[in-house]
Amino acid sequence: MDFKQLLAATCVAALGAGAQAEGVKVGMITTLSGGGAGLGIDVRDGFLLAVKGNDDIEVVIEDDQRKPDIAVQLADKMIQSEKVDVMTGIIWSNLAMAVVPAATAQGKFYLSPNAGPSALAGKGCHQNYFNVSWQNDAFSEAAGTALSNEAGKVFLMAPNYPAGQDIMAGFKRTYQGEIAAEVYTKLGQTDYAAEIAQMRASDADQIYFFLPGGMGISFMKQYAGSGVDKPVSGPAFSFDQGILGAIGDAAIGAKNTAHWSKDLDVPGNAEFVAAFQEEFGRLPSIYAAQGYDTGLLLASAAAKADVDDADAFRAALKEADFQSVRGKFSFASNHHPLQNIYLREVIKEGDLVTNRIVGTAATDHSDPYGADCNL
Amino acid sequence: MTTLLLIEQVLNGLQAGIMLFLMAAGLTLIFGVMGLINLAHGSLYMIGAFAAAAVAAATGSFLLALFASLVAAAAAGVVIELAVIRRLYDRDHLDQVLATFALILILSEGTRWLFGSFPLYLDVPTILSGPVILPGGIAYPAYRLVIILVGLAVAAGLFLLIGRTRIGIQIRAGEADREMIAALGVNISALYTMVFALGAALAGLAGALVGAIQSVQVGMGEPVLILAFVVIVIGGIGSIKGALVGALLVGLTDTLGGVLLPLALGGLMDASSATSIGSAVASMLIYVLMAVVLIFRPTGLYGTA
């Protein structure tokens, strides 16, 4: 290599480094206060753990208080004055519906670390929208299949908002037995006495419910005190690590479905669990795992392409070239995950109430809405 | 729906109403006597629940936890009254709303700083954890029955306090004409501090009682606060009787509406739209109730103009 070539190479490298140093600016809007704060904090902490020490990624974090109007204001602020390249963080499907279509229409990338409303997976899919968690129906479709073995009449309960409807639709799509009743509650409801009375009076053999965050805590405590002894199950959101401590022994034995568990034996998972515990002093939840994977995905794309070159960056995201703590992970054509979903059971390890995997509920699961998506 | 289920749902509505009453009683006392809109009332509810959870975790005693919730909320009430609220009596309602809203933010973040963002564990005492069988074969959670009884006892105590004691006379006089009772030699600022502490203690007790069957977490007070405001507007601002009647009305409407509306709509349309439309309409019912009451009684059921 002569001097000219060396000089040219150095210049190219310097230019390349210059472009890299621009980095990616990420706007994270998530729920950090109020009733759903535990979920947003786990997503944030998981994400920050994944991008820790990565100088290419700059993160701006704002709290949406689980209010759609505030989320929309924050999104406008992030796009117009903060000039972010990528947005992420939203927990709740109703907030995602308020923010995501507008953000992607303005050319921003959106990586969903949690919400997966069906409206964004089918006709409403977008080339810049990547869902790193699940389509809302996914856990329940898998649960419907897994629980069909012990078929019987099931009592369904969920909050009345997009994710609640999606999750129940997923269950009904695959469940072979009979549905005894279907009840929709208010989002954020804290008293379930009326619903529990209906469960007692119904001829259902088991209860399948979706109540994330504080709603699940309230329901499980009240259910335990009611003397109704029908077995309960649900998607992992109802039995997540963040709320099991507050529910206590009442949850033990409950079956639930998820794409991840702290005892999942795949490369990198044990290290993630240990690093998260080390950094934050608590066990990670599925939300933390999703935040972590979102961070890894973003870092993998940022290392491969410049975010200003939207097509290259999109292709880099699509490759999903990172080691997910869920094991095998790739994107289907509608940019929603193809992944395994496991059946978990709530157990007690010493004083700690947590989940363990008892089987695989679905292999390489994708959502049914992709057929309507023109990507 | 069977009669038994209906009776059980009426009991649930009553119990929801009683819990609301504990919140609304303090709120309406403070508004009625001192003319103060206290948005931070929900934070006092949260303080009661957190104090109870912390003491229950440390000692294992639910009675001590309840006592702690009363003391902690009353103490917080006294501090808040002396430090902030006292300066707001002569200001207009907008200033009061702003200042007490700031208190919500400060108390919520303070609690988060002390206890963290994740819900705390607080469970009902073992002796009350199961159901009891009522006449007619209704299995009803023992703890909820106890809540109904405690609430009724507190209501009776409040009526006696306001109607039959010297302090009650001063409170009623303070409501009617504060300059006059000050002129008669009653220490009005001590009276105000006491009323505020009483209201705070009631909210704290409600927080602890409810915390045992719901989740103890930062921000748990705000949804209840909104309902409590609905209750005192329906009942008439400043009236304890109005708060009781309003709370029971709201509790029953909310519970029975959520159960009966989807059933009633089921006769008109298919099951899934009946459940979704029914539950959507049911969540508006209490506001419809409030609007109807205000049309016929603009000052609320027991309010005076």
Side-chain angles (χ1 to χ4, degrees), chain A:
Chain A
M1 188 186 279
D2 68 19
F3 178 70
K4 260 185 188 164
Q5 272 179 324
L6 186 67
L7 191 67
T10 316
C11 282
V12 169
L15 278 174
Q20 290 281 306
E22 291 255 310
V24 180
K25 189 160 181 184
V26 185
M28 175 180 276
I29 300 175
T30 194
T31 306
L32 301 173
S33 64
L39 287 67
I41 288 169
D42 270 357
V43 162
R44 178 195 66 188
D45 291 351
F47 186 90
L48 291 179
L49 182 64
V51 300
K52 193 177 169 191
N54 187 334
D55 297 330
D56 288 346
I57 295 174
E58 184 193 347
V59 190
V60 187
I61 300 172
E62 294 278 5
D63 173 20
D64 61 35
Q65 305 168 32
R66 199 170 80 188
K67 293 179 183 145
D69 48 330
I70 292 184
V72 169
Q73 285 172 18
L74 291 173
D76 288 344
K77 185 183 129 200
M78 283 186 168
I79 293 171
Q80 284 158 20
S81 58
E82 300 274 2
K83 309 248 185 270
V84 300
D85 308 302
V86 177
M87 293 178 68
T88 184
I90 292 179
I91 301 296
W92 308 92
S93 289
N94 50 340
L95 275 66
M97 289 308 297
V99 168
V100 173
T104 49
Q106 293 177 67
K108 303 296 168 193
F109 286 95
Y110 186 88
L111 310 180
S112 178
N114 197 60
S118 53
L120 296 179
K123 278 207 179 65
C125 66
H126 192 281
Q127 56 176 2
N128 285 352
Y129 172 72
F130 287 83
N131 184 304
V132 200
S133 48
W134 24 256
Q135 197 280 317
N136 284 344
D137 304 20
F139 289 4
S140 280
E141 280 190 347
T145 314
L147 295 174
S148 285
N149 308 331
E150 46 197 281
K153 290 188 177 175
V154 182
F155 190 110
L156 301 180
M157 179 166 77
N160 198 6
Y161 83 117
Q165 287 140 9
D166 281 354
I167 282 170
M168 291 301 128
F171 188 83
K172 288 188 285 184
R173 193 174 298 128
T174 56
Y175 187 65
Q176 307 286 328
E178 200 182 322
I179 307 295
E182 201 178 341
V183 169
Y184 290 98
T185 60
K186 277 180 284 232
L187 186 60
Q189 183 170 322
T190 49
D191 198 289
Y192 293 91
E195 289 77 13
I196 291 170
Q198 284 172 277
M199 289 169 190
R200 191 200 310 276
S202 82
D203 58 353
D205 302 308
Q206 62 169 317
I207 316 292
Y208 184 85
F209 74 97
F210 161 58
L211 292 170
M215 292 180 271
I217 301 173
S218 300
F219 170 72
M220 280 308 292
K221 281 159 92 175
Q222 293 162 23
Y223 187 78
S226 71
V228 183
D229 54 3
K230 302 175 182 182
V232 293
S233 54
F237 320 115
S238 309
F239 302 98
D240 190 62
Q241 194 62 52
I243 64 176
L244 282 179
I247 298 176
D249 293 353
I252 290 173
K255 295 277 200 320
N256 62 94
T257 44
H259 51 23
W260 176 87
S261 180
K262 79 173 182 10
D263 60 339
L264 182 62
D265 187 16
V266 297
N269 191 32
E271 291 80 356
F272 160 66
V273 174
F276 191 90
Q277 265 188 301
E278 163 85 5
E279 184 90 13
F280 304 108
R282 62 177 194 272
L283 278 174
S285 63
I286 58 163
Y287 309 108
Q290 289 162 193
Y292 187 72
D293 274 357
T294 307
L296 292 182
L297 169 69
L298 182 71
S300 76
K304 283 185 177 177
D306 181 357
V307 71
D308 293 328
D309 181 357
D311 290 331
F313 195 75
R314 187 179 309 119
L317 283 171
K318 183 81 199 280
E319 281 174 37
D321 185 15
F322 66 102
Q323 178 56 55
S324 165
V325 292
R326 290 168 247 178
K328 208 160 56 145
F329 178 95
S330 59
F331 284 116
S333 64
N334 63 344
H335 295 178
H336 280 62
L338 271 170
Q339 59 190 350
N340 288 352
I341 293 172
Y342 303 95
L343 187 63
R344 314 192 299 179
E345 184 185 19
V346 180
I347 53 159
K348 198 159 191 180
E349 281 180 2
D351 278 343
L352 188 75
V353 185
T354 185
N355 281 288
R356 74 181 167 103
I357 291 184
V358 292
T360 305
T363 309
D364 287 337
H365 184 272
S366 70
D367 63 272
Y369 301 99
D372 296 332
C373 167
N374 300 318
L375 283 182

Side-chain angles (χ1 to χ4, degrees), chain B residues 174-229:
Chain B
E175 247 178 293
D177 192 335
R178 66 182 82 178
E179 278 93 15
M180 198 52 167
I181 74 156
L184 289 174
V186 174
N187 184 348
I188 194 88
S189 58
L191 180 72
Y192 279 12
T193 310
M194 199 210 73
V195 170
F196 197 84
L198 176 66
L202 286 176
L205 177 67
L209 283 174
V210 170
I213 52 171
Q214 296 182 1
S215 66
V216 179
Q217 58 186 2
V218 174
M220 63 187 283
E222 277 71 61
V224 194
L225 179 76
I226 295 170
L227 287 180
F229 269 112

